[in-house]
Each structure stands twice: as C-alpha cells, then as structure tokens.
Amino acid sequence: MMQNVHLAPETDEDDLYSGYNDYNPTYDTEELENDTAFQQAVRTSHGRRPPSKTSLASSTGRPVTGAVQDGVTRPMTAVRAAGFTKAALRGSAFDPLGQSRGPAPPLEAKNEDSPEEKIRQLEKKVNELVEESCVANSCGDLKLALEKAKDAGRKERVLVRQREQITSPENINLDLTYSVLFNLASQYSANEMYAEALNTYQVIVKNKMFSNAGRLKVNMGNIYLKQRNYSKAIKFYRMALDQIPSVHKEMRIKIMQNIGVTFIKTGQYSDAINSFEHIMSMAPSLKAGFNLILSYFAVGDREKMKKAFQRLIAVPLEIDEDDKYISPSDDPHTNLVIEAIKNDHLRQMERERKATAEKYIMTAAKLIAPVIEASFAVGYDWCVEVVKASQYVELANDLEINKAITYLRQKDFNQAVETLKMFEKKDSRVKSAAATNLSFLYFLENEFAQASSYADLAVNSDRYNPSALTNKGNTVFANGDYEKAAEFYKEALRNDSSCTEALYNIGLAYKKLNRLDEALDCFLKLHAILRNSAQVLYQIASVYELMDDPSQAMEWLMQLISVAPTDSRALSKLGGLHDSEGDKSQALQYYYESYRYFPSNIEVIEWLGAYYIDTQFCEKAIQYFERASLIQPTQVKWQLMVASCFRRSGNYQKALDTYKDIHRKFPENVECLRFLVRLCTDIGLKEVQEYATKLKRLEKMKEIREQRTKSGRDGSGGSRSRREGSAGSDSGGSKGERLSAQLRALPGAGEPYESCSSKELDASYVDPLGPQIERPKTAAKKRVDEDDFADEELGDDLLPE
C-alpha cells in the first residue's frame, strides 16, 4: 500500500526532475514482439479493419490503433500498408521489395538498321572528320586537312538529306553544318585556293539561319588582302566592323588594325593615320604605335613623328619586373618557387613581349632619327633622351651604337670611332659591345695593332662575348699565329655554340696548319648548320682538293653551283678540275659558263683562247684575246696573240695591220718587228727594209744592255722584251705562238674564297663568295643588316582566322 502513498514535498518549490521518466505507453516499441494483438493484426487482416470508436485495450494495456488515452491519439496506419498485397492472405512470405520476382529483364538491343541510329552514326563520323582535318592542319599537312574537310562536307550533305526524309527541316543540326563549312573554307584558304574559300564563306554569310556569320567577312577581307585586292579588303573589313557590336572591343580594334594596314599598302596614309590614331586612343598597342610612326614618316610630318614615338614608348608592357624573380630572403620554399617560375611559359612570354617592344622602338628610332632634325646626329640625340626618360633605359646605349653605325654608312669613320670611344667608361656590357665594334673597324682598315688592342679591351670587359673573342682570333690570324687564333675561336664556341663565324674560322686555321682532317670536320659540322652556305661548300671542296680527292671536290663544287649558279669563280674552278682530269669537253663547258657570267677573268679568257688554238679554231680564239687586250691594254702579248691568230688562219693582211698597230703602240717590241719583217718579205712590201733596220738597232741595243749586266742578272728591258715576245714567235719553236691549253695553277692570293694572305681579310674584297668568313661578324656588322622597315611589320597585323 505504501507504493501508492505520495509524500508531500517539504517546500513549495517544484521538483526540477519531476516527470523525467514518465512517457506515453503509446510510443513503447520494445514490447511489440510480445504484444499478441499486434502480432495477430500483422498476420491477419485484422489490422485492415476500420478502427472502433471505442477504446480497445490489448492484453498488455496498450491502446489499439486510433485509441485515445490521456488526451493523446495513437497514430493511424495507412489504409494499405506498403509492400502488402492480397497474396498475403494466401500465406505468401513478407517481400516488401519484390525480390521474389527475379532479375530485371535485359535492356532492349539497339536496332542499328533504324534510320535514327544511322543518322547518329553518320553525324559522329562527320565530327570525327572535322577534328582530323583540324589536327592535320595544325601538323602542317595542308593537303590531308583539305581532303578531310571535303570528305566531311560530302558526308554532311548526305546527313542533311537523310534528316529531311525522316524529320522536319527544323531538326537539322545547324551547328554541325556551320562547323563543316567553316572548316572547309579555312582549309581552302590555307591551301591558297582563294576562289573556293571565298565561295564557301559566301555560302555561310548568305545563310540567315547562321547567327553571327557576318563576322566571317573579316576572313574574306584577309583573303582579298592576300590577293592584293585592297579595295574589296577594306570593304569587307568595314562590313564586318558594322556587324560586330561595340561590346566586343578587342575584335573591333583588330579589324581597325587591318583596315589601317590595308590603307598603308594602298598608299592612303591619311586614312591609315586616322585608323591608327583611333586605336591608340582606345587601346594603345605596340603594332599600332609603330605603324602610326610609319604613316607619319610616309607623309613627312616631323612633329607628329616625335609625338607618335613618345606614345609608342609609353605603351604599357603589362609584364612583371625582373626583381620579382630575385629571391629577397634565404627561405628555401620561396627560392624553390622563384626557381620554378624563372623560366616557365609565362616568363618566356614576358621576354618575347619585351623583345618585340624593343625591336619596334629600335627600328622606329633608326627610321625617324635622320629626318626629324636637321642632321641625323641631332635626331639620334633626341631619340636617346626620350628613351632614357622611359622604361627602356637600356636601349639608349644601343641607339648610341646605331648612331656610330650610321656614321659608318656615311663613310665617316672618324665620327664613328669617336662615338664608340665614348663607351669606354660605361658598364662592362656596353663597353664590350663598343670595343668589339671598334676592333672590327680597325680590322677593316688593316690597322691590326689597334684592332688587337680593342679586341683585348672587349674580351677583358666581357670574357663571354663570342664576337669579341672572334675578333681577337682574327687579329692573331692576320699575324700568322694560327694555333693561337684557333684557341680564341674555340673559346668563342664554348661561350656560344651557335657562333658559326668562330667554327668557320677554326676550319680555316686548321687548313693553314695543314690539319686537313680537322678542317674538313669543322666545315662538315658547319654545313649541317648552314645547309646552303656557298662559302662552306667551297671550303669543303677546297679541302678535298688539297687531300688529292678531285672526285669529291667536283661533287661539292656541283652542290655549290646549285646554290650559286652564277658564281664565275666556282665555275672556273670546276672547269680546272675537269681539265686536270683530262675531260676537255666538260672543262670547256664550265669555263665558257664562267666567261659568260664574268667576261673579265684573264685566266678563263687565256684558257679558252689556248683551247681554240690547240683545236685549230684560231678564228674563235681571236675574240677572247681581243677581250684580254681590252682588259689589259698595256700587255702586248694579247695583241700579239690576236695578230698570230690572224696569221694562222691565213688572213695575212689583217695580221700585218695588227702588227703595225702593235708597233705604233710598242715601238721597242722585238717580236713584233720580227714578224713585220717576215710578213713584209713574204708579201713583198717596200717597208721591209725600214723594219729590218729598226730590228737590227733594237737587237744591238739589247746586246749592249746584256753586256752591261752581270752574269746571272737580266736587264729589265731585255727580260721584258723576251716576255712580251714569247707570245708572238713562230710556230716552229716559239712558246708564245702556242699557249698551253692546261689551266695554270691559281696563285695563292688570287683564290676566290680561302684566305692565303692578310689581304684577304680586308673588307674591300668584293667577291660575293669571298673570304668574308675570316672577317668578324660583330655586333656592328649585325646592326648594319637590321635595316628592316614597314613591310615586315605590317604582315603580322592580319587578324587570324
């Protein structure tokens, strides 16, 4: 009974934990397994009966479904429980997931013969062909790319016809059609089939179903520009510009750039100026600024050229400073990051952009400096001051060196030297460049001592300057110390393996030292780098000739002639080799070709004349000896040979007239008088006595001179008489009458390419394939060759397709 007794609390305060363990028995789920009524309801349809309005208690006192107890209603179950069917009434097992029904039936197999599936496969094939065409184009195989594009176009038309038969025209894949046509037009343009490309672009542009197709008129304008149809190019550029909304600012700027370039090509510089001024005001760029300077240069506006140059320098490069790549601390993590980004793709792009900017600025400065002021020196000074005040401070020194190069072009060597000497107190890099150029200048003037001293200064300022080391080697080479020269050339190659001048000169040094195998190795390496260098080809042939391998020498000379077919010296050398091998017909062919390209080579003329004399065609030999007499009018032997040819061919009167003319020009020539006496005697002329008297007097004077000379020493007059008369003596025993048909060996200093004396290092040597390799190709020489202007730059401005 005590369990039902509740004691009163001692205080009136409520118990904080009262009712904590009380719960509604409706939510008691632990005893459901032992609840007989619940289990009966589960096994039978008892649970599906509608609940009674009266509370029915189970055996455990648990309220039935829907019963109300203590104001709380037990939740109603669903009318039909999930997973229960009428099969449960027949004693089936509890299977709410339906697992007893077995696995799902297999998927329905594709019907590959259905029209829809054929269309899908054909569409996939068209896409693959377009991709293959693009890949082939990127690999440089333009013909394959065009074939793939054409194949894609054919299959796409088949696809369109099949779609029209099955579905409505609205279901045609316009994107696929557009991509196929655009790729085909691009491949036509890449293969320079411009008419076909324009037709294909017209098909796209005229189809109103293609959105934004009007932009392709830019590509059509590019094609007309390549065809030099500038008026149509401008027309299509402007049509494209009208169809591009103003939000696409970058695209509009590029089209304006193309319009400006086209105006320059047509000579409409004022319109070009308007286009580039608009670009520089909206989005300044290096190309637009450079082309603006070109336009102002073309119209001759000095002040506008200055302003445009200042605007060009002010164009932002938008690249990071070099200080970013210098580690500020010894933090290893920071150093690793800096090392990783020091030469990544972004850094390489920054270098390329900076190099491009410097090229534009240097070219623009060289272009406008001679015209913006009264003298080019003042113009260069203005450009230097402007550059010094900009972010391109390091270019100021290069402009000063270009100023010296300009002095050289004007043959003002003193001013060039003075300008370069100003750099002697500059930093090491600039000092080395200036000293290299000074060494080069003095070398050209054959002042080898000065050239050597400035070469030493250049090397001391920058030991890793390959041009300076090459110049130093050249000065040593000129003094005959070939071993030491080779050492300098080797050091230049170690510093810069692409220094072809040093490699060439090493070969020449080895050739001088008679180390022919090493010389040949150097020239063959150089040939692998410079495949079409005539100088290298000649040196290889020369080395093979020195190695007594005429067949190889002739083979390399043939390669040389394929590169330089008009080189008369190479042709004569090849003719000489064939002549030494006994092949007179081939020798005649090459000697004649040499004479045709350069009819003033005495050795070639002499060989041809002697050849026709030996083959008894004296009439043909006359023209060559007459040519020789024009080239060397003070040499009597050529005129004697002409008279001898007339006499041999039976034209005695012409021979007599020629001998008389020779006697008037050279009255002391004994051989001429002898032939005059003989001809006058044979013909029976009265002048024979006069000529005989002169001959006796000359022979007596000759004897007197010989008596005055000591034994073993010939008088200059007598020896000259014998030399001059040797060409005109009789055929019986005279050597002058019969010139040898064999080509005489070329003298050392007369060889066309190789250097056999210090003279051949002189810059005054004008043979196009002469020994210029021994001449240093220094920074000064390279800057002279950098004189490129508008045409090269304008070609890069076209909008890529």
Side-chain angles (χ1 to χ4, degrees), residues 276-277 532 642:
F276 293 127
E277 285 283 4
N532 294 323
V642 172

Side-chain angles (χ1 to χ4, degrees), residues 393-577:
V393 182
E394 64 275 6
L395 292 182
N397 293 324
D398 294 335
L399 281 175
E400 289 282 2
I401 293 179
N402 273 291
K403 180 181 176 182
I405 301 301
T406 308
Y407 278 124
L408 283 179
R409 289 202 187 104
Q410 298 183 355
K411 309 299 182 183
D412 194 345
F413 291 96
N414 294 330
Q415 284 292 339
V417 171
E418 290 298 323
T419 305
L420 291 173
K421 284 183 177 179
M422 294 169 54
F423 292 95
E424 292 183 6
K425 296 182 180 179
K426 298 280 186 178
D427 61 84
S428 59
R429 184 188 70 84
V430 179
K431 184 193 298 184
S432 178
T436 301
N437 292 336
L438 283 169
S439 173
F440 176 70
L441 287 177
Y442 284 119
F443 189 82
L444 295 181
E445 294 180 346
N446 290 335
E447 297 183 18
F448 298 126
Q450 286 278 16
S452 180
S453 64
Y454 277 104
D456 290 333
L457 178 60
V459 172
N460 294 333
S461 301
D462 185 2
R463 188 71 189 181
Y464 300 99
N465 185 349
S467 298
L469 291 166
T470 303
N471 277 8
K472 180 60 181 175
N474 286 339
T475 59
V476 176
F477 187 99
N479 292 326
D481 192 348
Y482 306 121
E483 287 283 1
K484 191 174 181 181
E487 292 301 322
F488 280 109
Y489 297 143
K490 288 178 182 178
E491 187 174 355
L493 273 178
R494 285 194 293 269
N495 293 335
D496 182 7
S497 59
S498 63
C499 184
T500 54
E501 295 87 353
L503 181 58
Y504 189 100
N505 290 351
I506 289 176
L508 288 177
Y510 285 148
K511 189 177 173 184
K512 287 291 185 182
L513 295 169
N514 204 31
R515 293 155 64 176
L516 299 180
D517 290 332
E518 296 175 68
L520 182 62
D521 184 54
C522 291
F523 291 129
L524 289 175
K525 287 180 181 177
L526 196 57
H527 176 65
I529 301 171
L530 307 174
R531 302 296 299 180
N532 294 323
S533 173
Q535 295 174 341
V536 176
L537 292 171
Y538 179 84
Q539 290 297 338
I540 294 174
S542 177
V543 172
Y544 274 122
E545 185 181 6
L546 293 174
M547 297 171 70
D548 296 327
D549 192 347
S551 61
Q552 281 290 335
M554 286 189 285
E555 181 179 340
W556 285 96
L557 282 173
M558 290 296 295
Q559 292 189 39
L560 168 60
I561 290 173
S562 67
V563 173
T566 61
D567 185 3
S568 62
R569 292 180 181 265
L571 289 166
S572 65
K573 188 70 174 176
L574 189 56
L577 287 173

